[in-house]
Amino acid sequence: MNTVSPSKLTQLRDLSVVVADTGDYEAIKRLKPVDCTTNPTLVKKALDLPVYADLIETALAWGREQSGERETIVHAVADRLTVGVGTLLSTLVPGRVSTEVDADQAHDTAATVAKARQFIAMYEAAGVPRSKVLIKIAATWEGVEAARVLQAEGIDCNLTLIFNPTQALACSEAGAFLISPFVGRILDWYVAHGQAPADIDADPGVVFVRGVYAEFKRRGSPTVVMGASFRSTAQIEALAGCDRLTISPDLLEKLDADHGALSRKLVAGAAEAVSVTPIDAARFATDLAADPMATEKLATGIDAFAKDLEALRQTIRERL
């Protein structure tokens, strides 16, 4: 009798927590990830999906009833849609929904903290406990400081746009629940600068995540390492065993269709008694300034997130 071996996606689920990098309701329903994410790009795409039609009309109707500054109302509707989409997605996953705070406040600690508290209050009012939510924050120094405050209040954070070891360690020292190093965007930068890797084990994004994972485990850090921004299934397979991997639906489908063998690549070593000097703002700035890839990718990543947020708000302006 011929038995079909399990798919690589099934095998991967035994090694890492699989997260869906999408707000597509039907894709999440079909692919059954543990966690999922929402951000302005995904919320804007969601505006065209029938499953969210009632939610959108309710949010827009609420906006039309409000008095006051139009821009304030537009921002408030965007927030309601973000939390509304996240609330619907939370019913599909056993784990968490990552919800992104405004990228245009990435260098403002107080504003980031305020928006995170607001989102948590909105989720709790919708019946979603904070234990089901991750607040997604760009890993600037101000973002790290915001996470330090929020984690102390029991609000778990996903520090995103991680490109540099000091940046990753600063997030861990701040007590961040989770970090998202961007594998594909690191590779993109090196390829664009004429430094394409010879093989997957030389892929700079893969090498970076493996190094961060090893150092976190060596330090005994509880911060979750979640590889993100994948360009190929080969990158995902090279990080099998990482705490979590957030994967787009198209790559999840490819892994699900592949029935080859998948082996563990990352193994947690024993924690050691490591003496470290805590990272401060000056060292954070110095180490990032010395890393042109990280400097560029962090700035362009924040800029892209901010543009996506503005595009969502513009759509709301037009439909109000």
Side-chain angles (χ1 to χ4, degrees), residues 218-269:
R218 191 173 77 90
R219 289 186 174 204
S221 169
T223 296
V224 172
V225 179
M226 182 173 78
S229 149
F230 291 106
R231 298 291 176 257
S232 65
T233 55
Q235 287 180 325
I236 296 163
E237 291 177 41
L239 294 173
C242 191
D243 299 327
R244 300 188 189 198
L245 298 168
T246 181
I247 305 169
S248 62
D250 62 318
L251 291 177
L252 287 170
E253 300 276 15
K254 285 180 181 174
L255 288 165
D256 202 32
D258 186 345
H259 291 265
L262 178 70
S263 59
R264 179 183 287 276
K265 298 295 192 299
L266 275 67
V267 180

Side-chain angles (χ1 to χ4, degrees), residues 164 283-295:
N164 173 274
R283 182 178 156 202
F284 187 93
T286 300
D287 288 5
L288 247 72
D291 184 342
M293 179 276 293
T295 299

